[in-house]
Amino acid sequence: MTNKLRILVTGFGPFPGAPFNPTVPLVKRLTQLRRPAFGDVELIGHIFPVTYKAVDRELPELLARRRPDALLMFGLASRTSYLRIEARARNAVTTLWPDADHTRLRKGSISGGADAMMFGPHTAKLLRAAVGTGIDARASRDAGNYLCNYLSWRAIEATDKDDGPAFAAFAHVPPLARGGASQRKGATRITLEDLVDAGEAMLLELVRLTRQAAREHACLSTGIPLQAG
């Protein structure tokens, strides 16, 4: 890792049934943040087309070209009214619904092997960071069986590689109107501003965790004991 951390922040474009995807403006706002805590952090934004081919092509390209130290990914959960922090990706993909390119997969699993893969214990810390902003955020163990889950699986695979990012995390956001207002009525109404605040808190925590992991890796490599604090 270099001294300047690189965090890749991703969202998805529109897809059938969702002509407006709020992760697009959310990623734009987050990667434009200017805070002292991000002074030595490069925030890289990317919007994936909602296709399996795009994820399989663009994620490896981004990892190879930008070399991010961590990934923070967002997707739309059209039937959820709160922020969902995903704890795992399931080895499942729908064969019923096509992607935005009208591609329908014929196999109901992503790969051979495990039924699910965990993001890691850091997701609980990101959840606490989000909740601390006052937003309704909850843990989830089901990222669905569409592109959000598929990207999550591929991202976790990347973190398992020696030269991959140290952390990956995925959060589902509720639907918003194009102006950033909540589409929900009642007490729980999340806006784009709420999501930006929660996303910033999650980014700050992810930066802290990534720096800590870098220090621990350096100490293991050199044999120098890790200093407290």
Side-chain angles (χ1 to χ4, degrees), residues 167-184:
F167 299 103
F170 194 99
H172 271 113
V173 308
L176 301 178
R178 286 187 180 273
S182 171
Q183 287 188 341
R184 305 281 177 174

Side-chain angles (χ1 to χ4, degrees), residues 143-193:
N145 57 4
Y146 197 44
L147 265 297
C148 292
N149 181 73
Y150 188 78
L151 175 60
S152 295
W153 184 276
R154 295 305 188 199
I156 295 174
E157 285 182 332
T159 63
D160 288 337
K161 297 179 180 179
D162 291 339
D163 60 347
F167 299 103
F170 194 99
H172 271 113
V173 308
L176 301 178
R178 286 187 180 273
S182 171
Q183 287 188 341
R184 305 281 177 174
K185 296 181 179 180
T188 304
R189 301 181 65 182
I190 292 176
T191 66
L192 178 60
E193 295 303 322

Side-chain angles (χ1 to χ4, degrees), residues 6-183:
R6 292 178 296 274
I7 309 295
L8 176 62
V9 186
T10 74
F12 279 107
F15 57 93
F20 171 70
N21 194 323
T23 66
V24 174
L26 175 59
V27 169
K28 181 178 180 180
R29 290 282 301 276
L30 290 177
T31 52
Q32 291 177 343
L33 288 171
R34 297 293 180 265
R35 302 285 187 273
F38 297 134
D40 59 348
V41 178
E42 183 181 0
L43 299 174
I44 306 161
H46 184 78
I47 301 299
F48 288 102
V50 186
T51 71
Y52 299 102
K53 288 182 179 179
V55 170
D56 285 337
R57 179 183 66 253
E58 296 177 10
L59 180 61
E61 289 177 352
L62 286 164
L63 296 176
R65 180 167 53 90
R66 306 306 298 263
R67 309 289 294 178
D69 300 302
L71 280 68
L72 181 58
M73 304 167 288
F74 293 94
L76 171 63
S78 58
R79 297 182 180 180
T80 302
S81 61
Y82 50 89
L83 181 66
R84 279 169 37 193
I85 311 300
E86 302 299 340
R88 65 175 188 164
R90 298 187 303 123
N91 190 7
V93 62
T94 182
T95 59
L96 299 176
W97 304 106
D99 63 16
D101 275 349
H102 307 291
T103 298
R104 191 190 309 268
L105 298 187
R106 298 179 180 180
K107 186 178 179 182
S109 60
I110 300 174
S111 64
D115 292 335
M117 291 195 297
M118 304 298 292
F119 278 106
H122 61 280
T123 57
K125 297 178 181 179
L126 298 184
L127 175 60
R128 286 197 295 271
V131 169
T133 67
I135 200 171
D136 183 3
R138 310 176 197 179
S140 169
R141 290 177 56 84
D142 186 357
N145 57 4
Y146 197 44
L147 265 297
C148 292
N149 181 73
Y150 188 78
L151 175 60
S152 295
W153 184 276
R154 295 305 188 199
I156 295 174
E157 285 182 332
T159 63
D160 288 337
K161 297 179 180 179
D162 291 339
D163 60 347
F167 299 103
F170 194 99
H172 271 113
V173 308
L176 301 178
R178 286 187 180 273
S182 171
Q183 287 188 341

